[in-house]
Amino acid sequence: MSPTPSRRIAHLDMDAFYASVEWLRYPQLRGLPMVIGGARRREDDLIARLKAAHPEREWTPEHLAEIPVDFFPLLRDYVGRGVITTATYPARQFGIGSAMGLMKAAKLCPQAILLPVDFEQYRKYSRMFKDTIRDIAPLMEDRGVDEVYIDFTDVPGGQRDGGRVLARLIQKSIASVTGLTCSIGVAPNKLMAKMASEFNKPNGISIVRESDLETMIWPLPCRKINGIGPKADERLQSHGVRTIGELAQRDLPWLMANFGKTYGAWLHRAAHGRDDRPVVTESEPVSMSRETTFERDLHAVHDRSTLSTIFTRLCEQVASDLARKGYVGKTIGIKLRFDDFKIMTRDQSIETHTADPKLIRQVAGLCLKRADLSRRLRLLGVRVGSLVKLDEANKSVQNPKEKTGEVLLSAPKSAAHDTLTRDLF
Ligand SMILES: [Mg+2]
């Protein structure tokens, strides 16, 4: 009789994902200080400038790897209010990082190359690496564009050398399909696997066993536990608790008295490396949304046509996200951020689930009419919630004749400022 296999959970994290995807087409930028952020991609601009400077030769998107480094835009030339999505290590050394304004970053590292974000490309590579994993180990939990959990327990090779054999296979397969590297931690549960994947970055594999808790996990600062944020960490430090080992020495009643029953009990379990959460293959999204921050503040009246175009595009993007992932939703909402940074949301439910861009646009437009648009806007977002899988929605339609007709809207609440915005968007 074979013994019950021990639980082996892997956390896989792609190394410097956005930058690495960019390096696939611009290998000449590898190793340079580089920032990704700001406006949408305008690849044609780069090609147009090249054609002007080197009319003797042909420039097409296939020649991206041959673009001279000095042709790329630099952070110092940026004007606008875009923020950094990611910065490479040589750029981070100058003190810049994610979410920092590009113009502020330009003061610290003006020589950094600035690339616009290209989420379409990142998502494409995200799908590629995840499909590669699922072919090998089907129990995979999607945790975002560049990370997943994988249940190794019953997969061939998942127990050999603590999971190292399977981890190596996955790493090699991803590299050959995408050209990208990743780091993998394999441990008895998600909590420890998440920490382990950071141990050997980049392109590393770390194996953590239950017996490694004291030597490998306890010396780490509490912040390394996914779920201990800066505020909790500050509280812990004020009590003299800096490492996970020190946290493990505090007893349960003390933790519950100081951090509340639920969080205190969780801290206690986490410090002892206990975590029973399963790897969930189908993580059902609650909602899908798209939003955009404008290069300059826009006004509902004066920038009507610009806003209208952006608004329509956001609705189309959400609709295509829904369609691609096979979802339909029945709560449609908008998010606005004004020039005073205040955020406002409005939503509206409809009678049937939809992924139709026109209907989403129509209902989102009704939401907009309920908003006070006298201030300038910094950000506009569109969201579709109350999602179900498309096939489930079809199943639940009992009487198709009734439902295929016009979609019924619950009556929108009218507001005093309706006149201002009635015909906008
Ligand atoms: Mg990553």
Side-chain angles (χ1 to χ4, degrees):
M1 262 178 65
S2 58
T4 313
S6 53
R7 197 162 182 252
R8 298 305 291 165
I9 306 297
H11 179 254
L12 181 149
D13 184 32
M14 299 302 288
D15 300 323
F17 185 57
Y18 295 175
S20 301
V21 171
E22 296 293 351
W23 290 330
L24 291 174
R25 55 184 163 190
Y26 305 125
Q28 65 272 47
L29 301 183
R30 227 173 249 278
L32 297 176
M34 183 174 104
V35 157
I36 300 173
R40 288 166 69 85
R41 175 160 302 269
R42 286 187 208 92
E43 202 139 80
D44 296 345
D45 291 359
L46 204 60
I47 301 285
R49 278 172 53 217
L50 279 162
K51 281 180 175 161
H54 300 281
E56 74 283 0
R57 60 164 294 184
E58 200 192 337
W59 290 102
T60 68
E62 287 87 74
H63 298 108
L64 297 178
E66 295 157 41
I67 299 174
V69 169
D70 59 13
F71 251 86
F72 286 88
L74 296 180
L75 200 45
R76 73 158 66 91
D77 300 319
Y78 179 83
V79 179
R81 57 158 51 112
V83 295
I84 293 179
T85 301
T86 190
T88 63
Y89 187 71
R92 282 184 223 173
Q93 285 181 312
F94 291 87
I96 67 182
S98 305
M100 183 184 280
L102 287 168
M103 288 183 77
K104 184 182 172 192
K107 291 194 180 109
L108 298 166
C109 187
Q111 74 276 26
I113 284 162
L114 172 63
L115 291 182
V117 284
D118 187 356
F119 285 120
E120 218 172 290
Q121 187 84 344
Y122 311 148
R123 275 194 293 271
K124 180 179 131 191
Y125 279 90
S126 181
R127 282 193 296 275
M128 280 163 70
F129 92 77
K130 286 169 191 168
D131 288 346
T132 306
I133 296 169
R134 278 196 208 92
D135 284 346
I136 300 168
L139 278 180
M140 189 200 83
E141 179 175 332
D142 200 327
R143 294 303 300 174
V145 73
D146 72 336
E147 58 176 300
V148 298
Y149 288 106
I150 313 158
D151 194 333
F152 273 21
T153 312
D154 297 315
V155 182
Q159 297 284 341
R160 281 176 58 199
D161 201 3
R164 191 180 297 275
V165 172
L166 182 57
R168 178 88 59 220
L169 173 69
I170 289 174
Q171 240 182 7
K172 282 185 176 165
S173 306
I174 289 175
S176 76
V177 171
T178 65
L180 299 167
T181 67
C182 62
S183 296
I184 304 176
V186 194
N189 56 47
K190 285 178 165 180
L191 186 92
M192 287 202 267
K194 170 100 178 162
M195 290 187 262
S197 66
E198 270 190 52
F199 289 170
N200 273 314
K201 267 194 158 296
N203 202 21
I205 293 173
S206 302
I207 304 298
V208 174
R209 294 180 171 82
E210 218 136 357
S211 56
D212 295 322
L213 178 72
E214 291 179 33
T215 52
M216 294 174 85
I217 304 291
W218 280 4
L220 301 173
C222 294
R223 275 300 300 278
K224 292 287 175 187
I225 293 179
N226 186 29
I228 299 186
K231 279 192 187 134
D233 188 48
E234 208 176 292
R235 287 271 307 280
L236 285 164
Q237 294 216 30
S238 74
H239 292 290
V241 177
R242 290 175 313 277
T243 66
I244 300 172
E246 286 166 349
L247 182 60
Q249 279 162 25
R250 300 297 169 122
D251 59 25
L252 182 59
W254 184 87
L255 286 166
M256 285 166 67
N258 284 279
F259 290 91
K261 262 188 182 171
T262 311
Y263 193 62
W266 177 81
L267 283 174
H268 191 256
R269 285 197 306 276
H272 289 87
R274 290 199 279 272
D275 174 23
D276 300 325
R277 288 172 301 159
V279 170
V280 183
T281 47
E282 279 291 313
S283 60
E284 298 287 338
V286 182
S287 70
M288 289 190 196
S289 61
R290 286 288 190 126
E291 59 182 49
T292 189
T293 303
F294 309 130
E295 292 287 309
R296 62 175 179 87
D297 296 334
L298 297 177
H299 192 272
V301 174
H302 308 120
D303 303 298
R304 178 199 293 193
S305 71
T306 310
L307 275 167
S308 177
T309 307
I310 294 170
F311 194 42
T312 302
R313 197 182 66 223
L314 289 170
C315 293
E316 287 166 355
Q317 285 172 336
V318 177
S320 83
D321 290 344
L322 289 165
R324 198 178 60 246
K325 294 183 176 153
Y327 284 93
V328 283
K330 63 191 304 186
T331 304
I332 291 155
I334 56 160
K335 174 176 160 186
L336 306 168
R337 188 154 72 217
F338 297 99
D339 56 2
D340 60 356
F341 284 88
K342 290 218 171 85
I343 292 176
M344 201 204 66
T345 60
R346 292 284 181 272
D347 59 49
Q348 170 105 41
S349 289
I350 55 176
E351 294 291 317
T352 48
H353 291 87
T354 188
D356 174 25
K358 288 207 178 70
L359 181 57
I360 292 170
R361 177 68 169 74
Q362 184 196 339
V363 180
L366 292 173
C367 294
L368 205 61
K369 286 189 179 181
R370 289 158 47 205
D372 181 351
L373 297 175
S374 46
R375 294 200 78 100
R376 285 181 178 274
L377 289 164
R378 294 194 93 232
L379 172 148
L380 179 61
V382 175
R383 180 173 175 278
V384 176
S386 315
L387 301 184
V388 293
K389 280 279 190 189
L390 181 60
D391 40 7
E392 284 164 36
N394 289 339
K395 262 183 264 164
S396 69
V397 176
Q398 299 292 322
N399 187 346
K401 268 183 203 157
E402 243 173 69
K403 294 286 182 181
T404 46
E406 197 180 322
V407 170
L408 302 166
L409 298 171
S410 17
K413 294 171 196 114
S414 67
H417 39 261
D418 258 6
T419 36
L420 174 68
T421 60
R422 175 145 295 145
D423 299 318
L424 290 171
F425 301 94

